[in-house]
Amino acid sequence: MTFLQHSPKAFLLAVCVVALLFSCNNSAEEQQEQNVAAADSITTNESITQEDSVLFFENKADAWLDLSLKNSGQAWNRFKLDEFWYEDSIAATPFKPAADFYKNYAPLLKWSPDSAYVLDIGSYGKVLVKDKTGQIKIEDGEVDSKASLIDAKANTTQQLLFLGAGGTIIDGKWLNANQFSLLSAFDENNDQKPDTVLWVVDVKENFYRKYRLQ
């Protein structure tokens, strides 16, 4: 008989040592995989941020951002990429606006550079009223807010972002024919402390980037 067969305690100890070594090896491999994944995520975030930076500065959207935030300058540099994702598809629904829709809601409608799309940053829930002089004014109705994309030629609309009662859309701007930015105040955690959130969306690729002001 071997020593291990004569000594059950020694056998159990040997088994424990082997199990511990195996566990440590697995833990090291898992940690290495996590480190690689984290490094890849950081690299991807930096790449997306760099591309969006070029997009903003080439289209002078940084100046628009400063003006919208009433900032003295370089507001873009204070935004950090929070998350990004692709939407598989965004359903389009028939859109039959009133005859004066584009005229009455003009302040809330942003036409793309090629006039193919209209970014609607706030007609949802709004009501039209006439003042004492007979002029049409836009007033709040529903408390929810959302942004939609209108295809004026196809007469369809797509809901791009729904912020609900916890969000307020401040302004929107097209960066090129396919991509736009949307500035909002968003109380995502319902703690009465809304964050300033900047959305950058590619309407062709359904690619969303969400930045948060630091």
Side-chain angles (χ1 to χ4, degrees):
M1 290 187 179
T2 65
F3 172 73
L4 291 178
Q5 288 173 320
H6 277 294
S7 177
K9 290 184 178 180
F11 176 75
L12 290 175
L13 179 61
V15 171
C16 289
V17 169
V18 172
L20 180 60
L21 291 174
F22 182 76
S23 175
C24 289
N25 184 56
N26 282 348
S27 296
E29 290 180 355
E30 290 176 0
Q31 184 61 50
Q32 184 177 7
E33 291 176 356
Q34 291 175 2
N35 291 341
V36 170
D40 288 345
S41 178
I42 292 173
T43 301
T44 301
N45 277 25
E46 290 176 347
S47 177
I48 292 173
T49 301
Q50 180 61 34
E51 290 179 4
D52 284 342
S53 293
V54 173
L55 190 62
F56 258 72
F57 284 101
E58 284 184 346
N59 293 279
K60 299 181 179 179
D62 55 320
W64 161 79
L65 197 58
D66 292 337
L67 182 63
S68 298
L69 291 173
K70 299 180 180 179
N71 192 286
S72 58
Q74 298 187 341
W76 165 253
N77 295 330
R78 295 169 54 203
F79 280 90
K80 182 179 179 181
L81 184 61
D82 196 32
E83 59 180 317
F84 58 90
W85 69 92
Y86 284 91
E87 292 286 352
D88 292 334
S89 62
I90 301 176
T93 58
F95 180 66
K96 296 181 179 180
D100 293 333
F101 173 82
Y102 292 103
K103 176 183 177 181
N104 292 334
Y105 288 101
L108 303 175
L109 305 176
K110 311 291 182 179
W111 288 83
S112 62
D114 60 1
S115 298
Y117 298 107
V118 181
L119 174 62
D120 182 348
I121 65 171
S123 72
Y124 176 76
K126 296 293 191 295
V127 293
L128 299 174
V129 297
K130 285 186 178 181
D131 61 18
K132 295 180 179 179
T133 64
Q135 296 295 316
I136 297 293
K137 295 176 60 178
I138 302 173
E139 293 189 354
D140 291 333
E142 295 287 339
V143 295
D144 292 335
S145 62
K146 73 173 183 178
S148 301
L149 184 71
I150 300 172
D151 186 328
K153 293 182 179 179
N155 287 322
T156 60
T157 183
Q158 296 171 290
Q159 178 176 294
L160 299 175
L161 288 169
F162 184 79
L163 303 183
T168 301
I169 297 174
I170 300 172
D171 200 4
K173 177 179 174 60
W174 285 93
L175 302 174
N176 56 33
N178 299 326
Q179 302 191 76
F180 70 85
S181 57
L182 193 71
L183 186 63
S184 69
F186 192 24
D187 185 11
E188 194 169 8
N189 298 319
N190 296 316
D191 57 3
Q192 306 303 313
K193 297 178 181 179
D195 291 324
T196 300
V197 177
L198 179 69
W199 313 80
V200 183
V201 181
D202 186 323
V203 298
K204 289 291 188 182
E205 301 294 333
N206 293 334
F207 182 36
Y208 286 68
R209 288 90 84 194
K210 177 183 175 185
Y211 290 85
R212 198 179 301 271
L213 185 66
Q214 302 300 303

